[in-house]
Amino acid sequence: MSQKFYAIKCSNCAAPLDILGGGRVQTVTCAYCHSTLDLNDEYKVLAKFNDIKRPLGPFEIGMRGNIKGVEWTIIGWISYKTVEFPSEEWSEFFLYSPTHGYAWLVYENSKVYFSKRVRDFDLLQWQEKKPKTTFYHKGHYIRQEASYVTYVDYVEGELNYIAKFGDKITCWDYNGVRHQSLSIEKSSGELEVYHTEKLNKKDIYTAFSLEYKESKSAKKTSLYDDITIEEEETHTALSFSNIHIYPFIILLILAISSLFYSQTIFEKSYTKSFETQINVNSNAFLTAISLKVQGSRTVNNKLSLYQNGKKIFYIDKDIVYFIKKDLGNSWYRGDNAATIYLKLDKGEYRLLCQKENPQITSTLSIKQEVIRLKYIIPLLVLFITIFILSNMHLINANISMIVFILIAVIVAFEIFGPIGLFFLGFFYFFIKNAKNNYDENGSWIDDNSDRSDR
């Protein structure tokens, strides 16, 4: 379809201005004198942008290009800044199509986005609750930050509304999967909703007849311009998996190892009291002390462990004591068998076993490097649940990472003790470096850190 347009003269400087945007255009801002003219009131000057520096950008008014199978013409240009951080600046180029109406081409931090207003979003329900999570067209979107305020810094060309320097807009951004987002914007009492998606920069430059050059630094800092949307979604999924797969593998290995890893360091059946030395040569995981009495109750036995002449653990009737930790209800008077898990340091211990009834046989077994499956399995289930919810974008990825770190801290300290926290810190340093690497390559973490909406 051929596009029709007409030309006018600026009522302030008499410069020729082409009107490209159809019948709904209300204002045009002269590129020469930066005066905003009212097209509905005999080109009355509404505002001026005389002292505002023209921002840099690859696109110009009048350019035409194909986006998502539709031919668009750039008819207007707005530059925005945030009130809190004025150094943050981005440009939005107003698009017009005779068949598809109006949209925006957003240029921010050398990235390109396509934004279009949606009119079927339930704004009344949103106004009542202002939820942190919302759904639109079967897509799930999560608000990453509190509302923020932007203001108009520069205007050029045509718009279908009046924009003046300093006009403020309150925004609520909701990020979804596949580089999509929803932005709810409030200006002059009016609420509007825009759906935004990230575009392939190289394709857009080609569509608008711009020369695309990739600098060496761009090759190092961004992979997005070299891959398609589908390829980046795969890369994003892999990045997410790579970050979280390591603790999952560790938990899985621990679960499997729990069946085979433990070592028996002492085992004996006895009818009389005895005393002996035992050596614990590994402080990884736990030490398990299993005591069993045939046909009787364990309260007929007393058991004590000494280290360097100091009693650090003992069983005496219904009492179980360990110098490092309150073992609580790990021993019951009516039981004839019990297994108690301790975190013993490496070293030599003196074991003293006393019997009240020599006619009854007792069996004592001590194992080191014991992994308790009853703790590992719930952690695995929790880990998988958080992973699935995060991958479905039902919870914030940062929250899931916090949960994973807490799980790792608990496992490291309970199983390995203070030395485990040291290795955990090293592991976290590795993960953090990997995270930064994915940021530089435009992964999902980069999506949470950069605004991708108007």
Side-chain angles (χ1 to χ4, degrees):
M1 178 182 290
S2 62
Q3 183 173 336
K4 298 179 180 180
F5 61 92
Y6 62 97
I8 66 170
K9 287 186 177 181
C10 175
S11 59
N12 185 60
C13 70
L17 303 175
D18 292 333
I19 306 301
L20 309 172
R24 293 178 58 189
V25 169
Q26 295 187 33
T27 64
V28 59
T29 300
C30 178
Y32 301 94
C33 69
H34 306 293
S35 298
T36 300
L37 311 181
D38 189 344
L39 298 183
N40 297 321
D41 191 8
E42 299 180 352
Y43 313 130
K44 176 183 177 181
V45 177
L46 299 174
K48 290 185 178 182
F49 291 81
N50 292 338
D51 300 326
I52 305 302
K53 184 179 179 181
R54 192 174 192 260
L56 299 176
F59 303 100
E60 297 285 348
I61 292 174
M63 285 183 173
R64 295 184 182 182
N66 189 291
I67 303 176
K68 300 173 70 68
V70 178
E71 188 75 17
W72 298 93
T73 301
I74 298 176
I75 65 172
W77 181 359
I78 297 184
S79 176
Y80 289 96
K81 291 184 177 181
T82 60
V83 173
E84 188 175 359
F85 302 103
S87 60
E88 292 185 2
E89 183 178 6
W90 68 98
S91 291
E92 301 189 4
F93 297 89
F94 196 38
L95 302 174
Y96 172 68
S97 164
T99 58
H100 288 74
Y102 301 96
W104 294 91
L105 183 64
V106 183
Y107 182 78
E108 180 182 8
N109 295 331
S110 298
K111 298 180 178 66
V112 183
Y113 309 88
F114 179 74
S115 184
K116 194 167 177 53
R117 186 179 179 183
V118 298
R119 302 179 184 276
D120 55 353
F121 185 85
D122 193 346
L123 271 173
L124 289 178
Q125 183 179 4
W126 180 86
Q127 283 181 277
E128 292 177 358
K129 300 180 179 180
K130 286 189 175 60
K132 291 187 177 181
T133 180
T134 187
F135 292 86
Y136 174 72
H137 281 197
K138 298 182 180 180
H140 185 214
Y141 299 84
I142 297 175
R143 194 173 74 201
Q144 301 294 333
E145 56 187 5
S147 62
Y148 59 94
V149 179
T150 69
Y151 66 89
V152 175
D153 185 62
Y154 178 83
V155 175
E156 184 179 319
E158 304 163 48
L159 296 174
N160 59 355
Y161 64 97
I162 299 173
K164 300 178 181 178
F165 175 79
D167 285 351
K168 293 183 179 180
I169 301 173
T170 304
C171 303
W172 294 263
D173 286 349
Y174 290 80
N175 290 343
V177 296
R178 299 177 181 177
H179 305 286
Q180 300 183 73
S181 59
L182 288 176
S183 181
I184 301 173
E185 304 179 359
K186 182 179 181 181
S187 59
S188 302
E190 183 179 2
L191 277 175
E192 296 178 343
V193 184
Y194 290 86
H195 178 266
T196 301
E197 55 185 304
K198 195 175 185 181
L199 302 176
N200 185 291
K201 183 178 175 181
K202 183 178 181 180
D203 291 345
I204 295 302
Y205 271 48
T206 301
F208 281 84
S209 302
L210 291 169
E211 184 179 2
Y212 177 77
K213 290 184 178 180
E214 184 181 11
S215 64
K216 293 181 179 180
S217 59
K219 290 180 180 179
K220 293 180 181 179
T221 59
S222 177
L223 294 177
Y224 187 82
D225 296 332
D226 299 307
I227 58 178
T228 64
I229 294 292
E230 291 76 13
E231 288 172 335
E232 188 182 18
E233 288 171 6
T234 302
H235 174 72
T236 296
L238 290 175
S239 299
F240 183 88
S241 299
N242 287 341
I243 289 175
H244 296 80
I245 196 65
Y246 302 111
F248 174 77
I249 291 176
I250 291 173
L251 287 175
L252 188 61
I253 291 174
L254 289 176
I256 297 174
S257 299
S258 65
L259 304 176
F260 313 102
Y261 194 69
S262 61
Q263 301 177 19
T264 300
I265 59 175
F266 182 83
E267 189 169 22
K268 182 176 182 177
S269 295
Y270 59 97
T271 57
K272 298 179 180 180
S273 300
F274 71 94
E275 181 178 346
T276 188
Q277 300 288 329
I278 63 170
N279 287 302
V280 176
N281 51 39
S282 174
N283 60 353
F285 309 115
L286 301 173
T287 301
I289 298 178
S290 298
L291 182 61
K292 184 177 181 180
V293 181
Q294 295 181 358
S296 184
R297 295 183 298 179
T298 52
V299 294
N300 293 322
N301 292 261
K302 295 181 181 181
L303 184 150
S304 302
L305 271 181
Y306 295 82
Q307 186 180 37
N308 299 325
K310 182 179 181 180
K311 184 185 291 187
I312 64 166
F313 170 76
Y314 66 85
I315 298 172
D316 186 1
K317 296 186 177 179
D318 59 338
I319 299 175
V320 177
Y321 170 79
F322 183 41
I323 193 171
K324 290 186 177 182
K325 183 179 179 181
D326 182 9
L327 298 177
N329 297 325
S330 57
W331 181 271
Y332 297 94
R333 291 180 63 89
D335 292 343
N336 67 345
T339 300
I340 300 170
Y341 297 89
L342 309 176
K343 188 69 179 70
L344 294 179
D345 299 325
K346 290 193 297 185
E348 188 175 86
Y349 295 83
R350 181 165 66 92
L351 173 65
L352 176 62
C353 295
Q354 298 171 281
K355 288 190 62 64
E356 296 180 356
N357 189 344
Q359 297 179 351
I360 298 175
T361 301
S362 298
T363 301
L364 175 64
S365 174
I366 302 178
K367 296 181 179 181
Q368 68 178 15
E369 299 181 331
V370 175
I371 304 171
R372 299 200 69 180
L373 194 61
K374 63 178 289 186
Y375 293 145
I376 299 299
I377 293 300
L379 289 176
L380 267 175
V381 173
L382 176 61
F383 187 99
I384 293 172
T385 301
I386 296 296
F387 178 86
I388 292 174
L389 292 178
S390 182
N391 204 30
M392 293 175 64
H393 220 69
L394 296 177
I395 64 172
N396 187 290
N398 292 328
I399 295 177
S400 70
M401 181 59 75
I402 291 173
V403 173
F404 296 149
I405 291 175
L406 288 177
I407 292 176
V409 168
I410 293 172
V411 172
F413 185 77
E414 288 295 327
I415 294 180
F416 296 101
I419 191 67
L421 298 182
F422 170 79
F423 285 107
L424 179 64
F426 177 80
F427 175 73
Y428 174 76
F429 176 78
F430 171 78
I431 289 294
K432 186 177 180 180
N433 284 348
K435 172 179 175 289
N436 290 335
N437 184 50
Y438 294 132
D439 277 340
E440 294 172 354
N441 288 288
S443 71
W444 60 276
I445 301 176
D446 176 66
D447 235 16
N448 286 336
S449 61
D450 286 341
R451 287 182 67 258
S452 60
D453 215 339
R454 279 184 13 130

